[in-house]
Amino acid sequence: MTDAHALPVSYSSEVAAAKANGVPVVALESTIITHGMPYPGNLEMAQSVEEIIRSEGAVPATIAVINGNLHIGLEPSELEALARTSDAMKLSRADLAFAISEGRTGATTVAATMIAAARAGIHVFATGGIGGVHRKAEESFDISADLEELSRTPVIVVSAGAKAILDVPKTLEVLETKGVPVVTLGQDDFPAFWSRSSGFKSPLRLDSAERIAAFQHMRESLGIAGGMLIGNPVPEKDEIPAGEMENYIRQALTNAGEKGIAGKAVTPFLLSDIYYLTEGRSLTTNIALVENNARLAAKIAVALAA
Ligand code: PSU
Ligand code: MN
């Protein structure tokens, strides 16, 4: 065994102050910025989401690796530079440490953001959609590392559900197998990202941030480790109904198959193809739902701290 090496980690000034003063912090991922949306919409989204978290009485910590440093919270200039970067790595559990040991720049997925958040003592994290079991996973074996991470790392992940580019029932099945609670806010159906309903029932339902915090406290009292997934339906005025999305999704999946897209390139390819197919409308919905998730995540962080 070699000696343990110190982790090069930098806290933003805002996050350092929040930690010192016991102000609740909400983690944010960065893959959504570098691989999920085009510039400048990605930067506008990232800034507005941070602002929403502040307006709810919490502090945002956008997480990324910049030149081998693990950043817990980005200064405004760092956030802007990341949003303009075109060659950042997409980092999950497998390669987060690699980017740090090799001095690289990379954006964190849900899995990698959870690892960094937990290490920094942050309990709540807002994103858009999680990775999951892809359609035809029985052939491709493509199941996101996000699911395994949810089972082991104690962070509450607030999402707008799972994109219909995934196989939603298989994704819910794997989460159940791994003992990950899936809670939908305010409705019985699990949401499908751009659409409020996936057509599949959510395993659990709660109607407020306070009840979600109470549930998490009870899990801790029982000594149950691991994360929790919250499904927060996109606001009605911003949704694209599931029937309409299905056509675009099928087309994007066909295009990915013809181009032989595989591995970690699959999700970014589908997201950008759907952006073109919907003539940018998917992006407007995507931004609205991340903002909605940031607001709920901040409320949960405040309720957990109360
Ligand atoms: N789903 C989305 N938007 C995203 C992602 C997923 O709707 O930006 C990103 C997230 O960072 C997620 C990652 O953790 O893709 C999952 O990638 P993979 O399927 O390769 O694990
Ligand atoms: Mn994958």
Side-chain angles (χ1 to χ4, degrees), residues 58-143:
V59 162
T62 300
I63 290 175
V65 176
I66 302 176
N67 298 326
N69 264 294
L70 176 61
H71 286 253
I72 310 292
L74 298 177
E75 303 299 342
S77 60
E78 293 167 339
L79 187 66
E80 177 154 358
L82 188 73
R84 290 171 179 275
T85 305
S86 57
D87 56 356
M89 293 177 73
K90 173 184 163 187
L91 304 174
S92 189
R93 168 173 281 267
D95 41 19
L96 175 63
F98 174 95
I100 300 170
S101 64
E102 291 298 308
R104 304 278 287 272
T105 291
T108 51
T109 59
V110 168
T113 305
M114 289 179 78
I115 293 169
R119 206 185 171 285
I122 302 170
H123 313 297
V124 187
F125 158 27
T127 182
I130 58 153
V133 181
H134 280 260
R135 294 189 191 188
K136 301 224 187 90
E138 62 275 24
E139 288 168 25
S140 67
F141 278 48
D142 189 346
I143 301 177

Side-chain angles (χ1 to χ4, degrees), residues 172 182-185 187-191 200-205:
L172 291 173
V182 177
V183 179
T184 296
L185 182 80
Q187 67 178 35
D188 296 333
D189 254 32
F190 188 63
F200 299 95
K201 204 167 178 300
S202 174
L204 299 168
R205 167 187 174 158

